[in-house]
Structure formats: structure tokens, C-alpha cells
Amino acid sequence: MTMEGRTAIVTGASRGIGLAVAQRLVADGAQVIVTGRNKEALDEAVATLGGRKHALGIAGNAADASHRGAVVAAAVATYGSVDLLVNNTGINPIYGNLLDVDQTVAAKMVDTNVLAAIAWVKACRDAWMRAHGGAVVNISSIAGLGPSPGIGWYGATKAMLSRVTQELAVELAPEIRVNAVAPAVVKTKFAGALYEGREDKVAATYPMKRLGVPEDVASLVWFLLSDEASWITGQTITIDGGLTLNGGIA
């Protein structure tokens, strides 16, 4: 199976899961547009991916319509298509009880974690996928599967993203497939507060006795984007080292 001749947009891909997804796609022959807020970090990511022949980095806010338009236009102009989309951008600037969440912050999280993902799908559909087909993977979280104390609002936005994934899959079939993945704790800077300084204790609650690494998620995302998954749409697939088998969420 190869991704030769396909172009992917991966948001939030200067590091962590997004960068691992981009690396997996490039390794299989795809060209990738990676996005993020930090231009220097994106430049480093592009160098890691092999330079402009394989990847292009465009800095900006994923929730900004002008940024989305520029990224999609650059994908078509530079590599000729927009076949694949990975909505990896997500924020969680708060920790605490749901009733204490600042409403302005809560709204910003919905805007970034959910509404921006929908808008990215629309932009790719309008520019390429409606006429040529495509595949989308949204990065959700096991925090969206049930109560996740301390990160409850983040979990609520991820539950919404998984629900949106189902709706988009129905609306866009059969030309465009839309799926999601729901990781448990993956060893990234974003998730650091959930395990740093106590990794062995946290990992002990997982049947697989380790936390995830970005490459674990990248492999599943690659599969869902590939033609190997051509009869799969509207699904949120849990990837958690068995954590939820023990009743754990976060």
C-alpha cells in the first residue's frame, strides 16, 4: 500500500502526534502540508520531513478562515491536490471542575477543537475532495468517552468531535470518508501534565503497561486514510493500550 501521488494536510503538526502522522505519510510517498502556530517549529518539522519536495509548512491559527484558505490553496498549487486531511489541532488551556470553567475559554475550545475541524473539512471538500474523493481523520480522545475529572470540558469537546465525525461521514459519503481516533495518554508535550514525574504509576494502570507514543497513533491514522480502510467511515476508533478495559478514561 502506498500514498504515492496524494497530498495531505495535517494540522497541528510541528511536533507530537501531528508530526508523526506527517512522517508516516511522507514515508509512504505522500506530500504533506503541515500547520501550526510557530513558524520556526514548522521549519524544523519540514526539514525533518525532507524539505519542500515532500512537505510545506504554513504557520497560522487553525481557527482562522484566511489561514485555512491559504493552506488549501498552497496544497493544490504546490502538489496538485488535497486528498487527505488530519484534524490534529486541539487545545486544553484549563484544568479543573466543569462548573468552574470560564465561559470565554470554553467557547474558544469549541471553536478550535470542533468548529475549526468542520471548517477544514469544508475547505478541503470545496477545493478538491467533492470532485475527486478523499479521506479525513479527526484526532479525538478517550476523554470524550466518559467522565474525565479535571479535563471534563476538553473531554466534552472531543465527544462533540466524535459525534461530528459521524454526521460528516453520512453527509459526505460516498466520495469522502470521515473517521476519528481516540487515544489515551500519548507521550507528547501536550499531554505532559497527565504523566510527567509519575509515568511508571500511570503506565501501570494500562494493560499494555506503557503509555502511547506518537507513532502508535500515526499508524492507525495512516490505515484510516489509506485504501485499506475503504469500507470504514463514521467510526471513532479507540487506541489506548487497553486502558478502557479497566474502566479508565483519563
Side-chain angles (χ1 to χ4, degrees), residues 8-54:
I9 293 173
V10 185
T11 71
S14 62
R15 63 181 185 229
I17 291 173
L19 180 56
V21 170
Q23 288 174 316
R24 182 62 189 269
L25 292 171
V26 167
D28 282 343
Q31 285 78 40
V32 180
I33 310 291
V34 292
T35 78
R37 299 292 293 269
N38 187 309
K39 184 180 183 303
E40 290 184 359
L42 282 176
D43 289 344
E44 293 177 6
V46 169
T48 298
L49 294 167
R52 189 181 177 89
K53 179 180 178 181
H54 303 286

Side-chain angles (χ1 to χ4, degrees), residues 76-141:
V76 175
T78 306
Y79 300 122
S81 64
V82 184
D83 309 285
L84 312 169
L85 169 66
V86 180
N87 278 311
N88 178 61
T89 299
I91 61 171
N92 184 31
I94 53 179
Y95 184 89
N97 294 331
L98 196 63
L99 293 180
D100 297 328
V101 172
D102 180 275
Q103 297 297 298
T104 300
V105 177
K108 182 178 180 181
M109 289 174 66
V110 172
D111 191 35
T112 300
N113 295 359
V114 183
L115 298 179
I118 297 171
W120 277 103
V121 175
K122 184 178 187 299
C124 293
R125 180 205 65 176
D126 292 349
W128 184 264
M129 292 183 181
R130 177 159 46 194
H132 305 278
V136 177
V137 174
N138 298 320
I139 307 299
S140 186
S141 169

Side-chain angles (χ1 to χ4, degrees), residues 177-200:
R177 296 185 300 105
V178 186
N179 290 291
V181 301
V185 176
V186 176
K187 293 172 64 174
T188 64
K189 184 176 180 179
F190 180 81
L194 299 176
Y195 71 89
E196 287 178 347
R198 54 193 181 97
E199 181 177 338
D200 290 345

